[in-house]
Amino acid sequence: MLRAIADVLRAIGGAIATVVILPFRALARLFGGASSSARGRH
């Protein structure tokens, strides 16, 4: 029973982490690409 609850919480936490991290990862790629292209480095 406890293991099932732990698995559910872990799955929910993973989903939330993914939803939270994705926008930041996109922003980092956006700013990282802009700064690297400004420096002339790919």
Side-chain angles (χ1 to χ4, degrees), residues 2-34:
L2 285 177
R3 183 173 293 172
I5 295 174
D7 285 342
V8 171
L9 288 177
R10 194 175 299 124
I12 294 173
I16 293 174
T18 302
V19 171
V20 169
I21 289 171
L22 274 177
F24 285 112
R25 189 172 289 174
L27 278 175
R29 184 180 301 164
L30 210 148
F31 285 116

Side-chain angles (χ1 to χ4, degrees), residues 4 12 17 37 39 42:
I12 294 173
S37 66
R39 280 197 304 256
H42 195 258

